[in-house]
Amino acid sequence: MSQPKIKRRVGKYEVGRTIGEGTFAKVKFARNSETGEPVALKILDKEKVLKHKMAEQIKREIATMKLIKHPNVVRLYEVMGSKTKIFIVLEFVTGGELFDKIVKHGRMREEEARRYFHQLINAVDYCHSRGVYHRDLKPENLLLDAYGNLKVSDFGLSALSQQVRDDGLLHTTCGTPNYVAPEVLNDRGYDGATADLWSCGVILFVLLAGYLPFDDPNLMTLYKKISAAEFTCPPWLSFSAMKLITRILDPNPMTRITIPEILEDEWFKKDYKPPVFEEKEDTNLDDVEAVFKDSEEHHVMEKREEQPAAMNAFELISMSKGLNLGNLFDAEQGFKRETRFTSKCPANEIIHKIEEAAKPLGFDVHKKNYKMRLENSKAGRKGNLNVATEIFQVAPSLHMVEVRKAKGDTLEFHKFYKNLSTCLEDVVWKTEEDMQECWKAWTILMECTGLVYPSKMSIVINGY
Ligand code: 3AM
């Protein structure tokens, strides 16, 4: 049960936890072992990417993105390929998603929304001017850095999540259509620039209103509302904001406002400062060529190293913090996607209890040994919520249970975890308060006996 930990390496990167999973790609945390710099590693299935007719366009866009060093665009550092995968190394952005702010605090004041909208338009304008389109601008692609600045992710990469069917046109495969332009939904081929602007209009509406301009549980009705640009502005919107939104959410892409016109708009111009930044001149594009050439000599080294026997009991317990919801926010990482607790129940009983708790909440449960995957059948804000759990044995009668969001919205995960924790009260061994008492007792014991604690434990103890 307590398997040895596998450490994975891709080239010079040490690969860590999964940050998120989409239909097409997995995003993992990784660290450049030469510089120590943290990165986000986007992992794609090579066969799926290369088989469709977009390969040339994707290659061109990735090459262009490598040249772009814009303050509001997530940096793409390099691309690597193995026999079966493509790895895209991205700047690691730590401030969470812009829309988590809306979910938590509701709509924004116009000044705040305007600042984000300026940054969004700067990013979009810059990439468009270099022939790169996003085609899938939506909340999860709007990240915030540590200083609260907007960083648009996936520019030039979203074609990867779309399909070219036999008619040679782009077809959106999945995801919520709420941000998608009518001409994209009509599926007659479209211009990336005007379609991106529509999505910017929807984003601006959400920032100012706190809800979506087009929404309906019935997909056909939603399509109709989008096609007719049928939306109503909330009464608190200023006249000039309303005017701009209406010009962006024009269902006809031919008459829709353009970026140069937005830059001249009265509402937009207030406090606008054009960005100042340096472009990266001397970028080497050999890696992009190599990935798409697919010659074996250019494959990146993928290594799996077995770690010495699993962590010891002290370290495992120090990672588990009971079922206290306060643990779900971390000052460094923002909203947490994983948490752990300890239990003195047998593993089978823990599994059974989790299953019993998850099913009434609408989750399908898949079990494999001591791992479980809980899949919610209802689509949430970011698709279906998927939760992965794993049980580790610390001692014959002590287990640590890890609960991790594998897919979906982090705040929906927190809500699920809150429900789960209520159902698991009799399974959990230690609450956080108990743990603190436990550490204090250990400190005294260690001090009296003169024993040295494992390093992780001493950090935790000193932290209290
Ligand atoms: O699953 P959630 O929505 O919490 O924010 C992105 C999303 O998180 C995150 O990975 C998940 C799947 O897209 N993400 C994507 N690119 C990132 C980056 N460059 C990133 N997080 C940090 N830095």
Side-chain angles (χ1 to χ4, degrees):
M1 200 182 306
S2 54
Q3 311 97 326
K5 277 264 170 200
I6 305 286
K7 199 164 148 190
R8 191 170 163 202
R9 271 181 166 278
V10 176
K12 60 177 182 242
Y13 298 93
E14 274 172 28
V15 184
R17 68 191 156 87
T18 300
I19 307 176
E21 256 175 67
T23 5
F24 235 76
K26 211 177 219 183
V27 184
K28 282 184 173 272
F29 176 82
R31 198 177 283 282
N32 181 332
S33 53
E34 289 167 8
T35 61
E37 186 183 22
V39 295
L41 194 66
K42 197 161 201 150
I43 307 172
L44 301 138
D45 186 304
K46 196 171 202 171
E47 202 187 333
K48 280 190 196 154
V49 173
L50 296 181
K51 87 172 178 205
H52 66 52
K53 299 160 196 159
M54 299 287 289
E56 262 312 304
Q57 184 188 340
I58 293 165
K59 179 176 137 187
R60 185 182 58 76
E61 293 200 355
I62 290 181
T64 312
M65 287 313 296
K66 231 193 126 180
L67 301 171
I68 286 181
K69 196 182 164 193
H70 187 280
N72 303 117
V73 179
V74 172
R75 277 285 301 280
L76 189 158
Y77 295 126
E78 66 172 309
V79 197
M80 302 173 292
S82 70
K83 192 156 178 276
T84 55
K85 295 191 189 74
I86 292 180
F87 302 95
I88 299 174
V89 185
L90 300 164
E91 169 187 9
F92 181 61
V93 187
T94 54
E97 289 171 23
L98 174 65
F99 278 63
D100 285 341
K101 278 184 96 136
I102 302 272
V103 175
K104 229 174 142 224
H105 305 294
R107 68 183 154 96
M108 290 178 186
R109 284 179 299 113
E110 291 205 0
E111 296 71 49
E112 195 184 1
R114 188 188 281 114
R115 189 176 86 87
Y116 290 124
F117 191 66
H118 284 162
Q119 298 185 345
L120 174 64
I121 292 296
N122 287 343
V124 171
D125 185 24
Y126 189 79
C127 293
H128 284 184
S129 71
R130 271 138 191 84
V132 182
Y133 304 98
H134 198 292
R135 304 185 193 84
D136 196 19
L137 280 166
K138 59 185 177 194
E140 46 266 62
N141 292 323
L142 304 181
L143 307 177
L144 294 177
D145 70 8
Y147 307 100
N149 287 316
L150 187 74
K151 297 262 181 185
V152 184
S153 78
D154 279 0
F155 244 112
L157 300 184
S158 48
L160 298 174
S161 62
Q162 304 191 302
Q163 279 182 340
V164 179
R165 288 204 204 124
D166 293 339
D167 60 7
L169 291 175
L170 268 177
H171 295 263
T172 309
T173 44
C174 57
T176 54
N178 306 75
Y179 294 83
V180 175
E183 66 272 20
V184 179
L185 293 177
N186 291 341
D187 218 7
R188 288 192 213 104
Y190 59 91
D191 169 42
T194 43
D196 274 354
L197 264 191
W198 171 279
S199 310
C200 293
V202 179
I203 290 163
L204 177 60
F205 184 101
V206 178
L207 296 181
L208 292 170
Y211 58 86
L212 285 159
F214 312 107
D215 205 11
D216 201 283
N218 179 305
L219 210 58
M220 279 322 291
T221 317
L222 176 60
Y223 277 26
K224 274 190 199 142
K225 284 183 180 170
I226 296 174
S227 298
E230 198 184 304
F231 69 98
T232 320
C233 284
W236 56 80
L237 238 61
S238 68
F239 177 72
S240 49
M242 208 179 322
K243 205 169 85 185
L244 175 59
I245 289 177
T246 313
R247 285 289 291 113
I248 306 177
L249 297 181
D250 175 349
N252 180 354
M254 306 299 285
T255 52
R256 192 173 301 151
I257 195 169
T258 60
I259 292 187
E261 286 167 339
I262 291 184
L263 297 177
E264 287 307 314
D265 176 83
E266 179 199 344
W267 186 87
F268 183 90
K269 275 201 314 201
K270 191 155 184 268
D271 304 324
Y272 179 68
K273 284 185 220 75
V276 186
F277 58 95
E278 277 171 45
E279 268 186 85
K280 209 169 173 337
E281 296 293 351
D282 52 349
T283 307
N284 183 323
L285 296 174
D286 292 350
D287 55 335
V288 186
E289 282 297 328
V291 164
F292 285 87
K293 256 195 214 131
D294 196 30
S295 56
E296 227 162 81
E297 63 184 294
H298 293 117
H299 284 167
V300 65
M301 275 278 272
E302 257 192 292
K303 270 206 288 197
R304 281 167 179 276
E305 291 161 4
E306 227 172 67
Q307 294 278 77
M311 288 177 274
N312 65 40
F314 300 118
E315 288 174 306
L316 278 172
I317 298 173
S318 74
M319 290 169 75
S320 331
K321 293 218 172 168
L323 282 175
N324 186 334
L325 290 169
N327 295 324
L328 288 171
F329 191 83
D330 181 303
E332 273 179 30
Q333 289 179 17
F335 291 105
K336 275 199 194 171
R337 301 161 160 98
E338 63 186 17
T339 187
R340 301 174 185 86
F341 62 87
T342 41
S343 174
K344 285 177 114 175
C345 296
N348 287 341
E349 193 180 323
I350 302 171
I351 290 173
H352 179 67
K353 284 275 165 61
I354 294 178
E355 194 174 1
E356 264 187 354
K359 279 189 174 162
L361 299 172
F363 286 82
D364 291 333
V365 178
H366 306 274
K367 290 181 282 186
K368 195 172 170 200
N369 301 326
Y370 295 94
K371 288 186 182 180
M372 296 171 90
R373 180 107 179 176
L374 316 173
E375 294 180 3
N376 201 320
S377 43
K378 271 202 292 199
R381 190 167 74 98
K382 274 192 236 146
N384 305 49
L385 179 64
N386 274 223
V387 178
T389 72
E390 189 166 0
I391 301 176
F392 300 87
Q393 190 175 47
V394 183
S397 60
L398 183 62
H399 296 99
M400 184 190 77
V401 185
E402 187 177 83
V403 185
R404 177 172 65 81
K405 185 199 82 174
K407 222 169 131 181
D409 184 55
T410 306
L411 294 176
E412 282 166 24
F413 168 65
H414 288 192
K415 223 189 257 169
F416 159 76
Y417 190 71
K418 201 171 162 191
N419 279 324
L420 182 78
S421 53
T422 321
C423 305
L424 293 182
E425 262 165 6
D426 53 336
V427 171
V428 177
W429 177 45
K430 293 260 171 253
T431 65
E432 183 147 35
E433 293 74 46
D434 294 338
M435 297 288 286
Q436 291 186 25
E437 287 310 309
C438 175
W439 296 134
K440 277 184 205 150
W442 269 109
T443 321
I444 295 163
L445 181 69
M446 293 290 179
E447 273 164 10
C448 293
T449 56
L451 289 171
V452 183
Y453 349 87
S455 57
K456 202 156 200 168
M457 188 166 172
S458 68
I459 292 165
V460 175
I461 293 167
N462 294 337
Y464 283 125

